[in-house]
Amino acid sequence: MTTAGEIMHRGAQWIPSHETLDRAAQLMRELNVGALPVSDENERLCGILTDRDIVIGCVAMGHDPARVTAGDLAKGTPRWIDSDAGVDEVLNEMESHQIRRLPVIENKRLVGMISESDLAQHLSEDQLATWVETVYARSMTR
């Protein structure tokens, strides 16, 4: 059975909730990613911050990204998956919550992220088609 740990992208990094959005954008650029898991002071997942969140939730609202924190935009219940979880569990988690990125946790520590590109590299065409249809079809109806 293929696991989350086998398909994830290693090297994911937290952005602490107290860090500003301009620092988050710099870290995204350095890591060449479009999303960062947001951690609280105990390094527990409290959300995911995307480049789109920064643009829509801060810049487009006329706010200063040097004054808004990652924690200010981290809302809702964070979703994650254990590194030992099977691909079916990964897909179920992403499909049922309509998310495109999923942090991977091992021994209460962030060890990676699963993104659309990771799925594209490791799923069969049928699995990928079902995932795309489920995640994108629902988000288009909103």
Side-chain angles (χ1 to χ4, degrees):
M1 169 182 80
T2 303
T3 66
E6 293 170 330
I7 66 171
M8 71 181 182
H9 178 82
R10 292 196 175 277
Q13 291 185 27
W14 297 110
I15 184 81
S17 60
H18 67 271
E19 286 286 351
T20 59
L21 297 183
D22 61 344
R23 176 63 192 129
Q26 292 164 2
L27 187 55
M28 287 179 187
R29 182 188 64 219
E30 290 168 18
L31 298 173
N32 194 30
V33 298
L36 295 169
V38 180
S39 69
D40 65 14
E41 62 278 352
N42 299 313
E43 288 197 350
R44 288 184 312 213
L45 181 67
C46 61
I48 300 281
L49 178 67
T50 67
D51 48 6
R52 187 176 197 283
D53 293 333
I54 294 170
V55 171
I56 302 297
C58 179
V59 177
M61 301 296 287
H63 301 298
D64 181 356
R67 305 190 97 193
V68 178
T69 67
D72 291 336
L73 294 186
K75 295 180 176 42
T77 303
R79 309 307 311 178
W80 58 274
I81 197 87
D82 189 85
S83 64
D84 291 331
V87 171
D88 289 341
E89 292 175 74
V90 170
L91 294 175
N92 184 53
E93 186 71 15
M94 293 176 88
E95 289 171 359
S96 63
H97 298 284
Q98 296 180 303
I99 54 178
R100 297 178 181 112
R101 298 169 181 98
L102 188 62
V104 181
I105 306 292
E106 184 175 283
N107 298 322
K108 299 183 181 182
R109 293 282 183 220
L110 176 70
V111 293
M113 289 278 282
I114 296 174
S115 67
E116 296 164 296
S117 64
D118 298 315
L119 295 178
Q121 293 174 18
H122 293 93
L123 298 181
S124 70
E125 286 185 26
D126 289 342
Q127 286 174 309
L128 189 58
T130 299
W131 182 83
V132 167
E133 182 177 313
T134 303
V135 171
Y136 283 97
R138 287 185 189 161
S139 65
M140 296 264 213
T141 61
R142 290 182 178 183

